[in-house]
Amino acid sequence: MHTHNPTQTIEPQAERDIVIRALNVKRHYGSGEAVTKALDGVTLTVYRGEYLSIMGPSGSGKSTLFNMIGGIDTPTSGMVFIDEIDVARLDAFEMAWMRCNKIGYIFQSYNILPTLTALENVTLPMRFAGLSPDEAREKGAEILRAVGLGDRLFHRPYELSGGQQQRVAVARAMANDPVIILADEPTANLDVDTGSEIIELLCDLKRDRGLTVISATHDMKMLNVSDRILWIRDGRVQRLEERRNLDIKIGTVASREAGKKAVAR
Amino acid sequence: MTDDQAQVRIPRQPPLSWRIVLRVSLAGMQRRMMRSVVTVTCVVLALAFLAYMLVLADITQALVELNDSKLNILLSERGVDIFAATQMDAMTLLLIGLALLTCTVGVANSMLMSVTERVREIGTLKCLGAQDRFIIQSYLVESTLQGLFGAAVGVLLGCAVAVAASSATYPGYVLSSFPTAVVLRSLLASMAVGLFIAVAASIWPAAAAARRRPVDALRVEE
Ligand SMILES: Nc1ncnc2c1ncn2[C@@H]1O[C@H](COP(=O)(O)OP(=O)(O)OP(=O)(O)O)[C@@H](O)[C@H]1O
Ligand SMILES: [Mg+2]
């Protein structure tokens, strides 16, 4: 029923630190006749400090994979290790701790908590992690300044533009110094320039803080900053490429995309 | 990877201060102002009715105990049984019970809808590391505040109407022989009932909220 995908070996490579390992992960929705195989056996290794983009057509299973490796949904079968911890073995408390401390999430629709200020949005996960109010406020303000929102600390989401809200989301994802930043189409609701700024921001964080960034996207601009690109299709890994092997291809893909957009407008 | 290793690396989350729970509850109420108003109104009406009935019975009983011949005639005209030990009959109790039941269902319904509306927020909170306990607490705090506020307003309203109505029916008697201690006891009892209803009605919605999963944060529409 299933075939193993010809991906790279799953054995840890000595010289590179592994933050995420997914072993033959499947996620099926529904059952019987109506089953949707959103993921159908994905094996993947993500290294510390890399920028991995997940690419694929709509409905190919990007968000589903994002949920699996982010510990926010459980696979139908297969195993996921986050920072060498087997997610399936964790209880609800430990999962909450993991989401709080190890992973920062960025969503397509920002998900800034309404009626809380930008600063409160950033300090909330810190409070979950046990920081005192004063520590959290100081650290939160510092992170918000770092993402260029130093003058927007006490603004509420409806007083912020989409790009600014996404910056708050990036700051919030950074709150507890996570190992991994997971972003599901972070630029899909933003215009081209604002989207580029967010990508640049993620890139800076990756470079300056040694974060691992994993981002599902349709955005071809993302490819330029990615270290590796995972193409998935119908819930399977289609191919996994290093960017340096792909430079020429991006030009053609990007220009083809640009052409499509121009026609659409 | 063994259990032990996972245990070693993952500490228990420290208990959260109520301040942060309160902040998130207040934010939730602010966000759904209309819904909060509906919940509070529900409690106000039911509790006003309860307090009105209790206080009116207290006042009538006090007047009966005066045993003033002119007043007894007035009381009899109003259909009060001046020989009964209490002024609460089965019909009144049934009405009160129905009002309180309606109120409970109303509050529960309103809270359940607020859970449905906030699915994405709850999912986001869980992604940020909130535990089930936090979600339950914030819903209970929300309903406790609404219950306290609604009950206070309702009880005062019901008491005021009862005093005004009985003063109009038995002019000159009510204020002079006002049974303060008994009425206060009725008001406190009503407050307690209101608070109990608000909290009890939100246990199920709070549990439903806590059961939401972090994946819900990715829902595109609420
Ligand atoms: N909760 C769900 N219940 C049933 N089917 C689902 C559910 N979530 C996703 N699917 C199905 O799984 C498949 C993969 O969905 P997924 O959201 O992962 O795609 P995607 O690559 O993120 O697409 P997009 O680019 O449009 O966001 C789709 O066929 C979708 O219909
Ligand atoms: Mg998606």
Side-chain angles (χ1 to χ4, degrees):
Chain A
M1 195 180 93
H2 65 263
T3 50
H4 285 276
N5 291 294
T7 47
Q8 85 279 38
T9 97
I10 53 165
E11 290 307 315
Q13 299 184 2
E15 77 280 14
R16 296 183 77 179
D17 211 359
I18 293 173
V19 285
I20 289 182
R21 279 195 295 152
L23 302 183
N24 198 23
V25 169
K26 298 183 180 182
R27 179 66 165 96
H28 298 176
Y29 292 106
S31 57
E33 299 265 298
V35 69
T36 309
K37 295 180 178 176
L39 280 187
D40 198 17
V42 169
T43 298
L44 172 69
T45 307
V46 183
Y47 301 103
R48 193 176 302 278
E50 76 169 331
Y51 193 126
L52 176 75
S53 283
I54 303 172
M55 283 271 184
S58 188
S60 55
K62 300 185 294 296
S63 297
T64 310
L65 181 59
F66 173 91
N67 294 345
M68 297 301 135
I69 59 186
I72 53 183
D73 195 8
T74 39
T76 309
S77 70
M79 294 174 92
V80 176
F81 296 88
I82 299 176
D83 218 12
E84 289 305 314
I85 298 172
D86 181 356
V87 173
R89 284 174 181 273
L90 302 184
D91 65 20
F93 289 98
E94 293 165 338
M95 279 310 294
W97 180 89
M98 184 90 124
R99 288 192 283 264
C100 187
N101 292 278
K102 292 276 181 193
I103 308 167
Y105 304 93
I106 300 171
F107 305 96
Q108 176 179 345
S109 40
Y110 325 135
N111 288 27
I112 299 300
L113 296 167
T115 71
L116 293 184
T117 62
L119 184 58
E120 283 172 323
N121 264 285
V122 179
T123 53
L124 191 60
M126 299 178 184
R127 301 300 308 282
F128 288 148
L131 254 62
S132 77
D134 291 335
E135 288 171 323
R137 208 170 315 119
E138 221 158 88
K139 190 177 174 195
E142 186 195 311
I143 298 179
L144 277 170
R145 274 194 287 275
V147 300
L149 289 177
D151 54 344
R152 295 280 190 283
L153 298 187
F154 303 105
H155 286 239
R156 292 170 199 277
Y158 56 83
E159 298 166 329
L160 297 172
S161 72
Q164 288 169 336
Q165 289 191 45
Q166 198 61 302
R167 278 168 188 273
V168 176
V170 173
R172 184 176 66 181
M174 299 292 305
N176 291 324
D177 306 309
V179 181
I180 306 150
I181 294 271
L182 272 174
D184 190 10
E185 307 199 24
T187 59
N189 287 358
L190 300 173
D191 65 50
V192 179
D193 292 339
T194 324
S196 305
E197 283 169 27
I198 295 293
I199 294 173
E200 227 166 84
L201 186 58
L202 288 174
C203 233
D204 291 348
L205 292 175
K206 184 210 109 175
R207 198 186 50 234
D208 301 341
R209 309 197 183 204
L211 279 172
T212 310
V213 179
I214 305 174
S215 174
T217 189
H218 287 296
D219 192 339
M220 291 296 166
K221 292 191 298 298
M222 267 294 188
L223 298 194
N224 294 318
V225 300
S226 310
D227 297 315
R228 288 194 302 162
I229 299 130
L230 176 78
W231 302 80
I232 66 172
R233 176 163 223 124
D234 300 328
R236 288 158 193 253
V237 175
Q238 198 179 24
R239 55 184 201 276
L240 181 65
E241 284 168 308
E242 303 270 336
R243 187 192 54 222
R244 57 175 178 274
N245 303 335
L246 198 83
D247 275 342
I248 303 156
K249 263 189 237 155
I250 293 171
T252 60
V253 174
S255 59
R256 195 162 9 105
E257 273 295 296
K260 248 190 265 170
K261 277 196 184 124
V263 171
R265 278 181 200 143
Chain B
M1 186 64 34
T2 64
D3 280 327
D4 309 335
Q5 256 171 299
Q7 295 296 339
V8 167
R9 298 171 67 162
I10 297 181
R12 293 278 149 184
Q13 189 174 323
L16 272 177
S17 84
W18 281 94
R19 245 169 80 187
I20 189 86
V21 178
L22 192 66
R23 184 68 195 90
V24 169
S25 306
L26 285 177
M29 276 188 264
Q30 222 174 323
R31 169 124 154 88
R32 303 287 181 206
M33 206 56 198
M34 271 322 287
R35 180 143 327 283
S36 305
V37 170
V38 169
T39 315
V40 170
T41 310
C42 205
V43 178
V44 166
L45 291 179
L47 267 288
F49 181 66
L50 174 66
Y52 170 78
M53 287 305 209
L54 290 179
V55 170
L56 196 61
D58 290 342
I59 292 175
T60 316
Q61 188 62 30
L63 295 181
V64 168
E65 278 162 12
L66 268 184
N67 208 4
D68 176 304
S69 53
K70 228 168 91 193
L71 181 57
N72 279 352
I73 297 172
L74 265 182
L75 284 166
S76 305
E77 273 173 8
R78 308 298 300 181
V80 175
D81 180 358
I82 58 176
F83 302 109
T86 164
Q87 298 301 327
M88 281 286 178
D89 58 15
M91 195 61 196
T92 317
L93 289 176
L94 184 69
L95 275 180
I96 290 176
L98 278 180
L100 295 183
L101 189 65
T102 314
C103 168
T104 312
V105 173
V107 172
N109 179 46
S110 154
M111 296 296 278
L112 272 178
M113 285 177 76
S114 115
V115 173
T116 318
E117 282 169 357
R118 295 211 294 238
V119 166
R120 206 157 65 102
E121 271 167 71
I122 298 167
T124 308
L125 281 172
K126 287 209 160 177
C127 283
L128 298 183
Q131 293 180 356
D132 293 4
R133 199 179 49 195
F134 176 82
I135 312 280
I136 291 182
Q137 281 172 347
S138 67
Y139 268 84
L140 288 186
V141 165
E142 183 173 331
S143 69
T144 307
L145 290 179
Q146 289 173 344
L148 270 179
F149 182 69
V153 172
V155 162
L156 290 180
L157 190 70
C159 176
V161 173
V163 171
S166 55
S167 302
T169 334
Y170 316 110
Y173 290 102
V174 173
L175 290 181
S176 58
S177 57
F178 192 74
T180 316
V182 189
V183 167
L184 267 184
R185 187 143 36 87
S186 294
L187 295 187
L188 282 180
S190 307
M191 281 293 293
V193 168
L195 196 56
F196 175 78
I197 285 181
V199 174
S202 62
I203 287 176
W204 182 32
R211 271 200 305 273
R212 305 309 315 204
R213 294 174 315 137
V215 218
D216 291 323
L218 274 92
R219 292 203 180 186
V220 178
E221 259 322 295
E222 307 194 7

